[in-house]
Amino acid sequence: MPRLRTSLALLLAASATPVAHAQIVQEAYLKASNTQASDSFGSVAVDGDTIVVGAPREDGSSAGVNGDESDEGAPNAGAAYVFVRSGSTWVQQAYLKASVPDLGDLFGSAVALDGDTIAVAVPNEDGAAIGVDGNAGDDSAPDAGAVVVFVRNGSIWVQQAYIKASNTDAGDQFGTSVAIDGDTIVVGAKEERSSATGVNGNESDDSALGAGAVYVFVRNGATWTQQAYLKASNSSPELRFGSAVDVSGDTIVVGASSEASAATGVDGDQSNTGAPSSGAAYVFVRNGTTWSQQAYLKASNTDPMDLFGGSVAIDGDTIVVGAVGEDGGIGGVNAEQSDDSAGYAGAAYVFVRVGAVWSQQAYLKAAFPEGTPFFGDAFGRYVDACEDFVAVAATYDSSSSAGIDGNQLDNGLTFSGAVHLFERKGSTWRPAGFVKASNPGGLEYFGEPSLDGTTLVVGCPQEDSSATGVGGDQSDDSAPQAGAAYVFDLDADWAIVQGCGGNPARLVAPSAPAAVGTSVGVEVVADAHMDGVVATYFGAKGNAPYGCGTQLAPSEELLIALVPFPTILGLAAMTNGTATAVLSLPPNPGLVGIHVTLQSVLVDTATFASEFSTGLEFEIRP
C-alpha cells in the first residue's frame, strides 16, 4: 500500500504549535409545533438551556400562553415558541401569543431572552397606549409598535408586561429591535421622529422623520418602568437610530445604519455628512440610574452605503458591529481594507474597551468575500458575541454545502445563507467555523445567530420543511417559508467531517471524549460489506478528507514530531464491513487542546477495492 506509506512519511515530518478552534456539531433541528407555510419561524435567542424562536407571520388568533394553535384567524399576527434542553434533548415548552393578537402585528419579529424572562417585539402593533400595561385594545396608532414581556415560574410562562413608548406615535415601529440583560430591557424604534439629541430630550418634537430612538426599561420586583429615552448625539432625519440594539450590564450599544458621517474610528467628527448611509454605532453607559453617551463608533474604512450599525452585539467589554454593505474584496481577519472590489460583500468590526476607552480590535471578513455592484453575501446582516466567540451571518451566501466547514466557493444555492464563526485567543481573532444548515435550500436566508456559552442557535426564516417539533423530516419542502432553527454545540467531543460520494464508509463517534492517557475505540463501518483491512490516519482539523482529493495534510495544529503521538493507528481487521481502530493517547498534558482529524481507508483484500470513510474531528481533552 505505497500511497498510505507516503502519507505516513509526510505526517511524521510535521511540527508546529496547536491553535484551538471551535469543535462544532449540530445538536438539534427545531420547527414550530404548528408549522405552516410563510410563518417565518426564525428570529432566535438562547440563554443556557432555553431557546425562544419568533415566527412573526404565524396566523393564530388565540391569546396568551399555550392557546389553540390550530386557529388561523389572524394572518401575520405572529407567535413565539419556547424550547428547553435536558441533557442534549430539546422539547417545546410554550407557545406564546400577544394578549390581543391582531392581523399584521408581526409579534416575534425580534426576541430577547435572559434567564426566566422573554421580551417579544411587536413592531407593527397598533396600540395608542403610552408606557407600561396600558390599553392593548386601542388600535388607533397603526404600526406604533410594542414589546410583550413573559416570565417563567418553574415551567409555566405568563405575561408580565405590555410595554409601549413614552411618546407612542403611529409608524414609529417601537420594537424594531429588543435586548434584555437582567432587569433591563432596551427597545429600538427606528422610525421615531423626534429631533432631540442625547438622553431624555424633548420627545414631543416630530420634526425629524426616521431619526429613531431607543427606550430603556427597568424592573423592580415585577414592575417595569421607563428609565431613559436615548437619542443619537447627532440626531437627524433618516438616521434610523435603533436599527439594532444590545445591552450588557450597564452598557448599551445602538446601531444607526443610515447615519451619514464620513468619520472613521472612535469619537470622530459627527458633523461631516459626506458618506450617506455609511452608518454608526453609539455606546451608552449607566451610572446609578443615569445614562450618558460614552462613545461614537465608526468603521475604520467608512464608505457611503456600508450600513455599519445595521447589526450590533455586546458582551462585557467587547462590541461587534455589522456593515452589510461594505465592499471589501479581501478575506480573513484584519485584511487590507482599501480594496472595494466586492460590492455588498459585508464586514464586521470588533471594538474593545479598556477603562472607558474604546478602540477597534479587528476587521472581520468572510474567507472568500463575494459581491456585485448590487448585492453580495450580506456578511454582517446579523452578529452576536459571547465571551471569545463572534458569529456573523452572511444571509445571501450561496454555497450549496451542508453542515460544518463545507465548500464556501460552491455557489449552487442562491441565498441559502451561512454563519461565519470567529474565536479570540488573547487579542487575536481567527476563523473558527463555517456553519450551514443541514438541509440548505435556495432563498432560505439561514443566518440569524444567537450565542450563549458553547451553544449557537441559527434561525432560517424561509426554510421550507413542513416538519413539526424537534428533529423532524428536513427533506420535505412542502411548506415554503415556514422557517426553522438549528442548534449547534461549539464544544463537541467529536464532529463528523463530510465524506465523498453518495454513501461512503463512516467513522462512528465514540461516546467518550479523546482524553490524554486514555484509549478510545473508534468504530469503522463500510456500507458495502467488505472484508479486509482498515488503516486510520491522523490529520489536521480543517483539511479536506483524504478521499475528497486533498489528503489529510499536516498544519499548524499538528504536533506529530514533538510528542510521542502515532500518525497511523495501524491496520485493523475488518469483518462484515466493520472494524475498530483504537486511539491511545499518551499521558502528556501538552496534547490538551490540540484539534485533529481521523479518517480511515478501507481495502478489500480479495478484490483490492478501496473506500475512504468520512472523518471525525476532535479536541484532545484533559
Side-chain angles (χ1 to χ4, degrees):
M1 301 169 68
R3 186 179 180 189
L4 299 182
R5 292 194 179 99
T6 300
S7 298
L8 175 59
L10 286 171
L11 286 166
L12 284 171
S15 68
T17 301
V19 179
H21 277 279
Q23 187 77 12
I24 309 168
V25 63
Q26 185 171 317
E27 184 176 271
Y29 166 68
L30 308 181
K31 297 284 289 186
S33 45
N34 60 337
T35 297
Q36 294 288 335
S38 301
D39 278 359
S40 297
F41 175 95
S43 57
V44 298
V46 59
D47 186 43
D49 293 320
T50 303
I51 290 171
V52 58
V53 185
R57 298 193 179 278
E58 192 264 0
D59 299 332
S61 61
S62 65
V65 179
N66 294 333
D68 181 4
E69 301 181 2
S70 64
D71 183 341
E72 301 281 313
N76 297 333
Y81 303 77
V82 183
F83 298 85
V84 294
R85 173 171 54 191
S86 177
S88 60
T89 302
W90 291 90
V91 295
Q92 185 174 315
Q93 185 177 66
Y95 164 69
L96 308 180
K97 297 283 292 184
S99 55
V100 185
D102 210 350
L103 173 134
D105 278 357
L106 303 183
F107 176 98
S109 292
V111 294
L113 166 67
D114 187 34
D116 293 318
T117 305
I118 289 172
V120 181
V122 201
N124 286 19
E125 193 263 359
D126 300 332
I130 291 174
V132 179
D133 291 334
N135 179 9
D138 179 349
D139 285 348
S140 60
D143 299 342
V147 166
V148 183
V149 181
F150 297 86
V151 294
R152 175 172 54 190
N153 185 356
S155 60
I156 306 300
W157 290 89
V158 296
Q159 182 174 317
Q160 185 177 64
Y162 164 69
I163 295 178
K164 298 283 289 184
S166 47
N167 61 338
T168 295
D169 211 348
D172 279 359
Q173 292 195 333
F174 176 93
T176 298
S177 52
V178 65
I180 183 173
D181 188 20
D183 292 319
T184 300
I185 286 176
V186 183
V187 184
K190 70 181 179 68
E191 300 296 335
E192 193 266 359
R193 286 165 275 186
S194 167
S195 63
T197 59
V199 180
N200 295 332
N202 180 7
E203 303 180 359
S204 62
D205 177 352
D206 283 349
S207 62
L209 186 69
V214 167
Y215 304 77
V216 184
F217 297 85
V218 294
R219 176 171 52 189
N220 185 359
T223 302
W224 291 90
T225 57
Q226 184 172 317
Q227 185 177 68
Y229 165 71
L230 309 181
K231 297 284 289 187
S233 46
N234 59 340
S235 188
S236 63
E238 311 299 337
L239 195 70
R240 303 294 186 264
F241 179 87
S243 301
V245 298
D246 202 8
V247 57
S248 179
D250 292 319
T251 306
I252 290 170
V253 58
V254 181
S257 57
S258 296
E259 193 265 359
S261 165
T264 59
V266 180
D267 294 332
D269 180 6
Q270 303 181 29
S271 64
N272 178 350
T273 57
S277 294
S278 55
Y282 303 75
V283 183
F284 296 85
V285 294
R286 176 170 52 191
N287 184 357
T289 60
T290 302
W291 290 89
S292 60
Q293 185 173 317
Q294 184 178 67
Y296 164 71
L297 308 180
K298 295 284 291 187
S300 46
N301 59 338
T302 297
D303 264 331
M305 304 306 298
D306 276 0
L307 303 177
F308 175 96
S311 59
V312 298
I314 181 171
D315 186 53
D317 293 317
T318 300
I319 284 175
V320 184
V321 183
V324 74
E326 195 266 357
D327 299 332
I330 301 177
V333 178
N334 293 330
E336 171 59 48
Q337 300 182 28
S338 62
D339 179 339
D340 283 346
S341 62
Y344 289 84
Y349 302 77
V350 182
F351 298 84
V352 294
R353 176 172 55 188
V354 177
V357 178
W358 290 90
S359 61
Q360 185 174 313
Q361 185 177 65
Y363 163 69
L364 307 180
K365 296 282 292 182
F368 306 101
E370 294 185 276
T372 72
F374 305 105
F375 61 84
D377 280 351
F379 179 95
R381 175 72 68 191
Y382 304 102
V383 297
D384 201 16
C386 183
E387 299 176 357
D388 290 317
F389 282 118
V390 163
V392 183
T395 52
Y396 287 3
D397 174 272
S398 297
S399 168
S400 63
S401 65
I404 311 302
D405 290 336
N407 183 0
Q408 300 185 36
L409 294 175
D410 175 358
N411 288 326
L413 283 175
T414 302
F415 301 164
S416 54
V419 167
H420 297 258
L421 193 68
F422 297 84
E423 187 177 10
R424 176 171 54 192
K425 291 294 179 181
S427 60
T428 301
W429 290 90
R430 62 175 296 162
F434 175 65
V435 181
K436 297 279 291 184
S438 45
N439 60 335
L443 303 177
E444 289 190 349
Y445 308 105
F446 172 93
E448 182 174 342
S450 181
L451 280 165
D452 185 60
T454 58
T455 299
L456 168 68
V457 183
V458 182
C460 186
Q462 307 302 307
E463 192 263 0
D464 297 333
S465 166
S466 63
T468 59
V470 180
D473 180 5
Q474 303 180 30
S475 64
D476 177 351
D477 285 346
S478 61
Q481 302 176 15
Y486 303 76
V487 186
F488 299 89
D489 179 2
L490 305 185
D491 194 32
D493 289 324
W494 304 84
I496 296 172
V497 181
Q498 292 289 81
C500 306
N503 196 15
R506 62 193 182 277
L507 299 183
V508 179
S511 57
V516 293
T518 65
S519 296
V520 179
V522 179
E523 186 180 14
V524 187
V525 178
D527 295 303
H529 291 290
M530 298 189 293
D531 289 329
V533 294
V534 175
T536 304
Y537 282 78
F538 283 109
K541 179 186 182 302
N543 290 82
Y546 194 102
C548 292
T550 303
Q551 73 178 36
L552 287 169
S555 81
E556 64 206 21
E557 296 186 53
L558 209 54
L559 280 179
I560 297 299
L562 300 183
V563 294
F565 196 83
T567 304
I568 183 170
L569 298 184
L571 303 179
M574 179 174 55
T575 305
N576 294 327
T578 63
T580 299
V582 178
L583 172 63
S584 297
L585 297 173
N588 183 346
L591 297 176
V592 175
I594 295 175
H595 285 246
V596 288
T597 304
L598 294 177
Q599 188 186 26
S600 293
V601 57
L602 291 66
V603 180
D604 189 316
T605 50
T607 65
F608 296 102
S610 64
E611 185 173 0
F612 293 96
S613 76
T614 57
L616 284 179
E617 292 177 358
F618 66 98
E619 176 185 7
I620 301 176
R621 305 290 188 176

